[in-house]
Amino acid sequence: MWFASDNTSGAAPEILEAVVRANAGYASSYGEDAAMARVTDRVRALFEAPEAAVYLVATCTAANALGLACLCPPWATVYCHRRSHIEEDECGAVGFHSGGATLAPLEGAHGKIDPGKLALALEAGASASVHNVQPGALSLTNTTEAGTVYTPAEVAGLAGQARARGLPVHMDGARFANAVAALGCAPAELTWQAGVDVLSLGATKNGCLGVEAVVLFDPRRSREFELRRKRAGHLFSKHRFLSAQIEAYLDDDLWLRLAKRANARAAQAAAGLAATPGVRISHPVEANMLFASLPAAVDRALQAAGAAYYSWPDPQAVATADGERVSVRLVCSWSTEAADVERAVAIAAGAMAPLP
Amino acid sequence: MWFASDNTSGAAPEILEAVVRANAGYASSYGEDAAMARVTDRVRALFEAPEAAVYLVATCTAANALGLACLCPPWATVYCHRRSHIEEDECGAVGFHSGGATLAPLEGAHGKIDPGKLALALEAGASASVHNVQPGALSLTNTTEAGTVYTPAEVAGLAGQARARGLPVHMDGARFANAVAALGCAPAELTWQAGVDVLSLGATKNGCLGVEAVVLFDPRRSREFELRRKRAGHLFSKHRFLSAQIEAYLDDDLWLRLAKRANARAAQAAAGLAATPGVRISHPVEANMLFASLPAAVDRALQAAGAAYYSWPDPQAVATADGERVSVRLVCSWSTEAADVERAVAIAAGAMAPLP
Amino acid sequence: MWFASDNTSGAAPEILEAVVRANAGYASSYGEDAAMARVTDRVRALFEAPEAAVYLVATCTAANALGLACLCPPWATVYCHRRSHIEEDECGAVGFHSGGATLAPLEGAHGKIDPGKLALALEAGASASVHNVQPGALSLTNTTEAGTVYTPAEVAGLAGQARARGLPVHMDGARFANAVAALGCAPAELTWQAGVDVLSLGATKNGCLGVEAVVLFDPRRSREFELRRKRAGHLFSKHRFLSAQIEAYLDDDLWLRLAKRANARAAQAAAGLAATPGVRISHPVEANMLFASLPAAVDRALQAAGAAYYSWPDPQAVATADGERVSVRLVCSWSTEAADVERAVAIAAGAMAPLP
Amino acid sequence: MWFASDNTSGAAPEILEAVVRANAGYASSYGEDAAMARVTDRVRALFEAPEAAVYLVATCTAANALGLACLCPPWATVYCHRRSHIEEDECGAVGFHSGGATLAPLEGAHGKIDPGKLALALEAGASASVHNVQPGALSLTNTTEAGTVYTPAEVAGLAGQARARGLPVHMDGARFANAVAALGCAPAELTWQAGVDVLSLGATKNGCLGVEAVVLFDPRRSREFELRRKRAGHLFSKHRFLSAQIEAYLDDDLWLRLAKRANARAAQAAAGLAATPGVRISHPVEANMLFASLPAAVDRALQAAGAAYYSWPDPQAVATADGERVSVRLVCSWSTEAADVERAVAIAAGAMAPLP
């Protein structure tokens, strides 16, 4: 019953096998491996973006920060959700890699930026003088940090606002696969067709060992990306092992199959817990994460049974804080087993069952 | 006949098996995996340094730049060899990660800093005023970029000069294993006992997929390292895969066995080529790299046979430049086969054999 | 009727005369002038801080950013008021000079940080992990950007919270003189005795041409300050002209006399406008700035008469926004004339007078 | 007898009077003063560059570093002379302001970059891969740090090499006036017509209190300059005092008259010392600086008489170092008096006169 994070799972067998296969023989280093050329072709085809530049790094933070650094200068600010990973979990990486760009966190229910709040922020930014940081870019997270999913129309709405102001758009897609799996849309629809300029295409959380693709739909800043990646120490010498992971990941829709599996487990958990007396689901469960407010008895029973998950600050819960409830996050991954979910639900139900 | 670089080799079977084994089950992320605790213990034991802080990253550039960033402030300069990797091959990574530190390249034969040149530079640095960049640190590369090896006494001599000025010492040990294998000394002798404060302990080039350990013999800056690593995007979520590599690498002296193998092949190549008429060996071949000036006929014959290696600028060769010679670098790795070396030597000899 | 800003005034005659006097003869450059030694002595005496390090720069932004850069590392965050100059008016200078430090803006009425909000923020910061930016420093602005003044007790309360967490405290004293003039306290009471580590001691706005002193009450980071100042380009060659200004500024309490004059004019304006029907004073007028919500007729009449001032977003006013009101800021300086204030008040009153 | 530096002189009377005049009344701040508009017009006219963007800062280091930061990205290197101010005297300011750009110091006699060395460096830079810092810009210093002057043809030759590679050209003109005064050419000939993109037009050393103009002949990066200046803390609130200095400086050719005076004094000193037995002039004296190797007796006599100047490392002198000689730099300024020069020459001659 390991629901702490999707990055506590290992790699999917197909990925691991690809890495083992890639080990044979000699290969050019630093991204000049033959597999990388195939990866680029495959990503371009998948996204219907024949001009896109594609690069691999090993962490989500690197993907986000390097991508954003190519979109905005040191004196710019990036509009993002207050609960976004770049704001809350990357120790200032965007500022570091961009040489100073700041973040302008915006509110919005269920992890999605409120379009009205973005409009206000952009309006304020439009009158920035030389004394102010300048509007720089919009960053959207999809799947959001609340486990919800922006639809293509929602992305287009927010991105359209930014682009109308001349601002580029970044998408943190650490869980992009879960979003696409949930929506059933084409990757292009959710990205460049909706106004996204740069995508962090996550793979680590969804079954790889450690690899993320950065997709620059506008390839003009590709050389800049390469140089930023290198001097940040993110260009791998034995790059073939990154290429092999992504190649296998995209092969035969593995990425979507893994994501669907994770999403299905989260849905299973949501259904079960929603039916448990006293449990409140905090956000719509649309991908592979479930946020809930649990009666303390449920929390205690799950912990006692060895379930691993994080308590998670729930802004709304603060207002109604009572010592008898715990806000938590449960994350499912490609490797989460239905039986574990079932067991967790049963434990929760048991904890709330009237004494016989 | 692949002598382009040791990073064009794959991973040793033991390493790959460890990665596969590490995949089982769930593990805490971001360096909290159980294997990392074992790695720290093992590195401390190997280096007889029970207080040392140990961290893993995936690239040599990250290891060097993060380590040096913890040693000197943005306004400092790092004394290093003119041919060092941080000066020539990392696209300004030290400056980037440190927030501005510069490099002061020094000359010295065969890839080793000339002690007299260091003394002059330190003497000049001692009178730095507020108008100048300040002396920051000394960085030594061992195995050097010329394929030679600093002895413990040589390290102690240079490091001692720096420490006498209050400057800390970094060692770029991308090929540290090859140096230890060549010298037969204890790792402690070559590092902290000789005055090294921070070591980049390379593993990628010597049989891993992608992992380097940074060893802070003085652990006072360990929290700083952790924060620098994170905000640079170098903290891995599925960190277990880094831990597994290093654990297997150090297990049962695998690291030394792999390095000895590579060194032996380079020695074999050196012996063979030294006996080839017209071939001049440029630097003492002490580890796994061989630099030579080849008659053009030898170069053509090797290329025609499919041998992969880089031509390499040889400062000394410039003075005696003649169109009929080519300066080259041949690198052996753990996976280089004796038969390949033998074949290359035979081709070289054949190219210079008098026509029958 | 020039109320746009105190930096639209010229220099006080005493300051200008000192600059003219300082021009005679030759003087050592880059801060080695004899006058600077006197300035240091004088500032130390004034602040009863015989160990303090004192440096001069020419702009308030430089003083704040360089001072804060000496207090916190690149991965730190500075707690400050949402309306503070470092947050709103310095184009990211703190992040630039510190190499990445971010700002954590806090709310609070009338330009003062709410102690409860600070407590919450510090409490949240105390559990920062390696994934988060780290608590770095507290920055207080006194006189605040709302024209109010923190008392020594208020400073001590907020600074005490920060220091209890091990965080240093910076004070943006661009209008420090106005605060001391308003409070009648000793400079030491308002700074180091209340827990302030570094003070930006403003002088430009209060009658100088362009000079600010940075006072490091803890001199351990003085060399760091000197190097940061130099490489940022803020070390003046003909430094004597900065020294001369500050020396004259502190001579014979000129700084307090100038500030009192400015404060008195603001009080005069406040009294007059408070008595004008329809005018609402937004914040207590405690120093040299007055914020008010004016009936549009008053605004129009003042503008028509050539009064210069800025409209100023008033967060509270938003709630009661009606098209017939304008929120404004009026700033008085050492050179504001009583007659001009009187005239402005009369115009305002006239605009609201019932038609005869 | 004050020959330490031209920045140990005060301001010329005309400049000081302009500052006093500028003090009257109120003026818009932060560069919006009416005088700045006149300054821009005047600089454009002087340089026959009607599109040029003109900005004022207070230090030479700020002018150079901000200007260069607008010319090259963080991963670039700036080709400059080994003795240039940006390399030797600005504590890494270019790296700081640009976010990481490095310097590539080049050799050349008498302070001028050797065209052949530049050609070699550019040729090497042309093959920079992603592992290397990238060619960024060329920076020329005119008047050089050796007191010599590049002619328009020499500037055009070096700048032409850079531009042929697509690199922009910066000129550190801290002593630009002395160069123009020496050459008698038009400012345009020495700058944009010869391929210079950005000029630091010095004024402080040549009779101002503290102001330098940055002239962007290509105005496309003007907004970037404004933002860099602001966030670096170099935008003055009471900007009128900078404007007033430059306006007076350019008025009625004052800048050239002051420079000619300084140059004439240096020529007088050179003529006198060249005729003194045992004195060797190190570099052609073409502007306001004189470098010489003095017999120790001359040095002692001058010091005893209270002459102020710096000993100055002379690379060539090292080879022939003998304890009986001292290498020195003497700098004349607008305020150096002919009588002082005469006296110094007489003292030198006296020290070498045979005992009667």
Side-chain angles (χ1 to χ4, degrees), chain D residues 233-284:
Chain D
H234 284 291
L235 177 56
F236 273 51
S237 56
K238 295 187 176 175
H239 187 279
R240 63 165 110 173
F241 294 116
L242 298 186
S243 305
Q245 291 180 67
I246 285 282
E247 197 175 14
Y249 184 65
L250 298 181
D251 203 22
D252 202 18
D253 282 345
L254 175 63
W255 67 297
L256 284 177
R257 285 183 284 129
L258 294 172
K260 279 178 188 163
R261 217 185 294 168
N263 289 2
R265 292 297 170 268
Q268 176 191 354
L273 289 175
T276 305
V279 172
R280 301 182 205 134
I281 304 294
S282 309
H283 304 301

Coordinates of all heavy atoms in Angstrom, one line a residue, chain D residues 233-284:
Chain D
G233 N 20.6 48.3 -9.8 CA 20.6 49.5 -8.8 C 21.4 50.7 -9.4 O 21.8 51.5 -8.6
H234 N 21.5 50.8 -10.7 CA 22.2 51.9 -11.3 C 21.3 52.9 -12.0 O 21.9 53.8 -12.7 CB 23.2 51.3 -12.4 CG 24.4 50.7 -11.7 ND1 25.4 51.4 -11.1 CD2 24.8 49.4 -11.6 CE1 26.3 50.6 -10.6 NE2 26.0 49.4 -10.9
L235 N 20.0 52.9 -11.7 CA 19.2 53.9 -12.2 C 19.0 55.0 -11.1 O 18.5 54.7 -10.0 CB 17.8 53.4 -12.6 CG 16.8 54.4 -13.1 CD1 17.3 55.3 -14.2 CD2 15.5 53.7 -13.5
F236 N 19.5 56.1 -11.3 CA 19.5 57.2 -10.3 C 18.1 57.8 -10.1 O 17.5 58.2 -11.1 CB 20.5 58.3 -10.6 CG 21.9 57.9 -10.1 CD1 22.5 56.7 -10.4 CD2 22.6 58.9 -9.3 CE1 23.8 56.4 -9.9 CE2 23.9 58.5 -8.9 CZ 24.5 57.3 -9.2
S237 N 17.7 58.0 -8.9 CA 16.5 58.8 -8.7 C 16.7 60.2 -9.0 O 16.0 60.8 -9.9 CB 16.0 58.6 -7.3 OG 16.9 59.0 -6.3
K238 N 17.7 60.9 -8.4 CA 17.9 62.3 -8.8 C 18.9 62.3 -10.0 O 20.0 62.8 -9.9 CB 18.5 63.1 -7.6 CG 17.4 63.2 -6.5 CD 17.9 64.0 -5.3 CE 16.8 64.2 -4.3 NZ 17.2 64.9 -3.1
H239 N 18.4 61.8 -11.1 CA 19.1 61.6 -12.3 C 19.6 62.9 -12.9 O 20.6 63.0 -13.6 CB 18.3 60.8 -13.3 CG 18.9 60.4 -14.5 ND1 19.2 61.2 -15.6 CD2 19.5 59.2 -14.9 CE1 19.8 60.5 -16.6 NE2 20.0 59.3 -16.1
R240 N 18.9 64.0 -12.6 CA 19.3 65.3 -13.1 C 20.7 65.6 -12.9 O 21.4 66.3 -13.7 CB 18.4 66.4 -12.5 CG 18.6 66.5 -11.0 CD 18.0 67.8 -10.5 NE 16.8 67.6 -9.7 CZ 16.2 68.6 -9.0 NH1 16.7 69.8 -9.1 NH2 15.2 68.3 -8.3
F241 N 21.3 65.1 -11.8 CA 22.7 65.4 -11.5 C 23.7 64.7 -12.4 O 24.8 65.1 -12.6 CB 23.0 65.2 -10.0 CG 22.2 66.1 -9.1 CD1 21.3 65.6 -8.2 CD2 22.4 67.4 -9.1 CE1 20.6 66.4 -7.4 CE2 21.7 68.3 -8.3 CZ 20.7 67.8 -7.4
L242 N 23.2 63.5 -12.9 CA 24.1 62.9 -13.9 C 23.9 63.6 -15.2 O 24.9 63.9 -15.9 CB 23.6 61.4 -14.1 CG 23.8 60.5 -12.9 CD1 23.4 59.0 -13.3 CD2 25.2 60.5 -12.3
S243 N 22.7 63.9 -15.6 CA 22.5 64.6 -16.9 C 23.3 65.9 -16.9 O 23.9 66.3 -18.0 CB 21.0 64.9 -17.0 OG 20.2 63.8 -16.9
A244 N 23.2 66.7 -15.8 CA 23.9 68.0 -15.8 C 25.4 67.9 -16.1 O 26.0 68.7 -16.8 CB 23.6 68.7 -14.5
Q245 N 26.0 66.8 -15.5 CA 27.4 66.7 -15.7 C 27.7 66.4 -17.2 O 28.6 67.1 -17.7 CB 27.9 65.5 -14.9 CG 27.9 65.7 -13.4 CD 28.4 64.5 -12.6 OE1 29.6 64.1 -12.7 NE2 27.5 63.8 -11.9
I246 N 27.0 65.5 -17.8 CA 27.3 65.2 -19.2 C 27.0 66.3 -20.1 O 27.8 66.6 -21.0 CB 26.6 63.9 -19.6 CG1 27.2 62.7 -19.0 CG2 26.5 63.8 -21.1 CD1 28.4 62.2 -19.6
E247 N 26.0 67.0 -19.8 CA 25.6 68.1 -20.6 C 26.7 69.2 -20.6 O 27.2 69.6 -21.7 CB 24.3 68.7 -20.2 CG 23.7 69.6 -21.2 CD 22.3 70.1 -20.8 OE1 21.9 70.0 -19.6 OE2 21.6 70.7 -21.7
A248 N 27.2 69.5 -19.4 CA 28.3 70.5 -19.4 C 29.6 69.9 -20.0 O 30.4 70.7 -20.5 CB 28.5 70.9 -17.9
Y249 N 29.7 68.6 -19.8 CA 31.0 68.0 -20.3 C 31.1 68.1 -21.8 O 32.2 68.3 -22.3 CB 30.9 66.5 -19.9 CG 32.1 65.6 -20.2 CD1 33.3 65.9 -19.6 CD2 32.0 64.6 -21.0 CE1 34.4 65.0 -19.8 CE2 33.0 63.7 -21.3 CZ 34.3 64.0 -20.7 OH 35.3 63.1 -20.9
L250 N 30.0 68.0 -22.5 CA 30.0 68.0 -23.9 C 29.8 69.4 -24.5 O 30.1 69.7 -25.6 CB 28.9 67.1 -24.5 CG 29.0 65.6 -24.1 CD1 27.9 64.8 -24.8 CD2 30.3 65.1 -24.6
D251 N 29.4 70.3 -23.6 CA 29.1 71.7 -24.0 C 30.4 72.4 -24.4 O 31.4 72.3 -23.7 CB 28.5 72.4 -22.8 CG 27.7 73.6 -23.3 OD1 27.3 73.6 -24.5 OD2 27.5 74.5 -22.5
D252 N 30.4 72.9 -25.6 CA 31.5 73.8 -26.1 C 32.8 73.0 -26.1 O 33.9 73.6 -25.7 CB 31.5 75.0 -25.1 CG 32.2 76.2 -25.7 OD1 32.4 76.2 -27.0 OD2 32.7 77.1 -25.0
D253 N 32.7 71.7 -26.4 CA 33.9 70.9 -26.4 C 34.8 70.8 -25.2 O 36.0 70.6 -25.2 CB 34.9 71.4 -27.6 CG 34.4 70.9 -28.9 OD1 33.5 70.0 -29.0 OD2 34.8 71.5 -29.9
L254 N 34.1 71.0 -24.0 CA 34.8 71.0 -22.8 C 35.6 69.6 -22.6 O 36.7 69.6 -22.2 CB 33.9 71.2 -21.6 CG 34.5 71.0 -20.2 CD1 35.6 72.0 -20.0 CD2 33.5 71.1 -19.1
W255 N 34.9 68.5 -23.0 CA 35.5 67.2 -22.8 C 36.8 67.1 -23.6 O 37.8 66.5 -23.0 CB 34.5 66.1 -23.2 CG 34.2 66.1 -24.7 CD1 33.5 67.0 -25.4 CD2 34.5 65.0 -25.6 NE1 33.4 66.6 -26.8 CE2 34.0 65.4 -26.9 CE3 35.1 63.8 -25.5 CZ2 34.1 64.6 -28.0 CZ3 35.2 63.0 -26.6 CH2 34.7 63.4 -27.9
L256 N 36.9 67.7 -24.8 CA 38.1 67.6 -25.5 C 39.2 68.6 -25.0 O 40.4 68.3 -24.9 CB 37.9 68.0 -27.0 CG 37.2 66.8 -27.8 CD1 36.9 67.3 -29.2 CD2 38.1 65.6 -27.8
R257 N 38.7 69.7 -24.5 CA 39.7 70.7 -23.9 C 40.4 70.1 -22.7 O 41.6 70.2 -22.5 CB 39.0 72.0 -23.6 CG 38.8 72.8 -24.9 CD 38.1 74.2 -24.6 NE 36.7 74.0 -24.2 CZ 36.1 74.5 -23.2 NH1 36.9 75.2 -22.3 NH2 34.8 74.4 -22.9
L258 N 39.5 69.4 -21.8 CA 40.1 68.8 -20.6 C 41.1 67.7 -21.0 O 42.1 67.6 -20.4 CB 39.0 68.3 -19.8 CG 38.0 69.3 -19.2 CD1 36.8 68.6 -18.5 CD2 38.7 70.2 -18.2
A259 N 40.7 66.9 -22.0 CA 41.5 65.8 -22.4 C 42.8 66.3 -23.0 O 43.9 65.7 -22.7 CB 40.8 64.9 -23.3
K260 N 42.7 67.3 -23.8 CA 44.0 67.8 -24.4 C 44.9 68.3 -23.3 O 46.1 68.1 -23.5 CB 43.6 68.9 -25.4 CG 43.1 68.4 -26.7 CD 42.7 69.6 -27.6 CE 42.1 69.1 -28.9 NZ 41.3 70.1 -29.6
R261 N 44.4 68.9 -22.3 CA 45.2 69.4 -21.3 C 45.9 68.3 -20.6 O 47.2 68.3 -20.3 CB 44.3 70.2 -20.2 CG 45.0 71.4 -19.6 CD 44.1 72.0 -18.5 NE 42.9 72.6 -19.1 CZ 41.8 72.9 -18.3 NH1 41.9 72.8 -16.9 NH2 40.7 73.4 -18.8
A262 N 45.2 67.2 -20.3 CA 45.8 66.1 -19.6 C 46.9 65.4 -20.5 O 47.9 65.1 -20.1 CB 44.7 65.1 -19.3
N263 N 46.5 65.3 -21.8 CA 47.5 64.7 -22.7 C 48.7 65.5 -22.8 O 49.9 65.0 -22.9 CB 46.8 64.6 -24.1 CG 45.7 63.5 -24.2 OD1 45.4 62.9 -23.2 ND2 45.2 63.3 -25.4
A264 N 48.6 66.8 -22.8 CA 49.7 67.7 -23.0 C 50.7 67.5 -21.8 O 51.9 67.5 -21.9 CB 49.3 69.2 -23.1
R265 N 50.1 67.4 -20.6 CA 50.9 67.2 -19.4 C 51.7 65.9 -19.5 O 52.9 65.8 -19.1 CB 50.1 67.2 -18.1 CG 49.4 68.5 -17.8 CD 50.5 69.6 -17.5 NE 49.8 70.9 -17.5 CZ 49.6 71.7 -18.5 NH1 50.1 71.4 -19.7 NH2 49.0 72.9 -18.3
A266 N 51.0 64.9 -20.0 CA 51.7 63.6 -20.1 C 52.8 63.7 -21.1 O 53.9 63.1 -20.9 CB 50.7 62.5 -20.5
A267 N 52.6 64.4 -22.2 CA 53.6 64.5 -23.2 C 54.8 65.3 -22.6 O 56.0 65.0 -22.9 CB 53.1 65.3 -24.4
Q268 N 54.5 66.3 -21.8 CA 55.5 67.1 -21.2 C 56.4 66.2 -20.3 O 57.6 66.2 -20.3 CB 54.9 68.2 -20.4 CG 55.8 69.1 -19.5 CD 55.0 70.0 -18.5 OE1 53.8 70.0 -18.6 NE2 55.8 70.7 -17.7
A269 N 55.7 65.4 -19.5 CA 56.4 64.5 -18.6 C 57.3 63.5 -19.4 O 58.4 63.2 -19.0 CB 55.4 63.7 -17.7
A270 N 56.7 63.0 -20.5 CA 57.4 62.0 -21.3 C 58.7 62.6 -21.9 O 59.8 62.0 -21.8 CB 56.5 61.5 -22.4
A271 N 58.5 63.8 -22.4 CA 59.7 64.5 -23.0 C 60.8 64.7 -21.9 O 62.0 64.4 -22.1 CB 59.3 65.8 -23.6
G272 N 60.4 65.1 -20.7 CA 61.3 65.3 -19.7 C 62.0 64.1 -19.2 O 63.2 64.0 -19.0
L273 N 61.2 63.1 -19.0 CA 61.8 61.8 -18.4 C 62.6 61.1 -19.4 O 63.6 60.4 -19.1 CB 60.7 60.9 -17.8 CG 60.0 61.5 -16.5 CD1 58.9 60.6 -16.1 CD2 61.1 61.6 -15.4
A274 N 62.2 61.2 -20.7 CA 62.9 60.5 -21.7 C 64.4 61.0 -21.8 O 65.3 60.3 -22.2 CB 62.2 60.6 -23.1
A275 N 64.5 62.3 -21.4 CA 65.8 62.9 -21.5 C 66.6 62.7 -20.2 O 67.7 63.1 -20.1 CB 65.6 64.4 -21.7
T276 N 66.0 62.0 -19.2 CA 66.7 61.7 -18.0 C 67.5 60.5 -18.1 O 66.9 59.4 -18.5 CB 65.6 61.6 -16.8 OG1 64.8 62.8 -16.8 CG2 66.3 61.4 -15.5
P277 N 68.7 60.5 -17.8 CA 69.6 59.3 -17.9 C 69.0 58.2 -17.1 O 68.6 58.3 -15.9 CB 70.9 59.7 -17.3 CG 70.9 61.2 -17.4 CD 69.5 61.7 -17.3
G278 N 68.9 57.0 -17.7 CA 68.5 55.8 -16.9 C 67.0 55.6 -17.0 O 66.6 54.5 -16.6
V279 N 66.2 56.6 -17.3 CA 64.8 56.3 -17.4 C 64.4 55.7 -18.7 O 64.9 56.2 -19.8 CB 64.0 57.7 -17.2 CG1 62.5 57.5 -17.4 CG2 64.3 58.2 -15.8
R280 N 63.6 54.7 -18.7 CA 63.1 54.1 -19.9 C 61.6 54.2 -20.0 O 60.9 53.8 -19.1 CB 63.4 52.6 -20.0 CG 64.9 52.3 -19.9 CD 65.1 50.7 -20.0 NE 66.3 50.3 -19.4 CZ 66.5 49.3 -18.5 NH1 65.4 48.5 -18.3 NH2 67.6 49.0 -18.0
I281 N 61.1 54.8 -21.0 CA 59.7 54.9 -21.3 C 59.2 53.6 -21.8 O 59.7 53.0 -22.8 CB 59.4 56.0 -22.3 CG1 60.0 57.4 -21.8 CG2 57.9 56.2 -22.5 CD1 59.4 57.9 -20.5
S282 N 58.2 53.0 -21.1 CA 57.8 51.6 -21.5 C 56.9 51.5 -22.7 O 56.9 50.5 -23.4 CB 57.1 51.0 -20.3 OG 57.8 51.1 -19.1
H283 N 56.0 52.5 -22.8 CA 55.0 52.4 -23.9 C 55.0 53.8 -24.6 O 55.2 54.8 -23.9 CB 53.6 52.1 -23.4 CG 53.5 50.8 -22.6 ND1 53.8 49.6 -23.2 CD2 53.1 50.6 -21.3 CE1 53.6 48.7 -22.2 NE2 53.2 49.2 -21.1
P284 N 54.7 53.9 -25.8 CA 54.5 55.2 -26.4 C 53.5 56.0 -25.6 O 52.4 55.5 -25.2 CB 53.9 54.9 -27.8 CG 54.4 53.5 -28.1 CD 54.4 52.8 -26.8

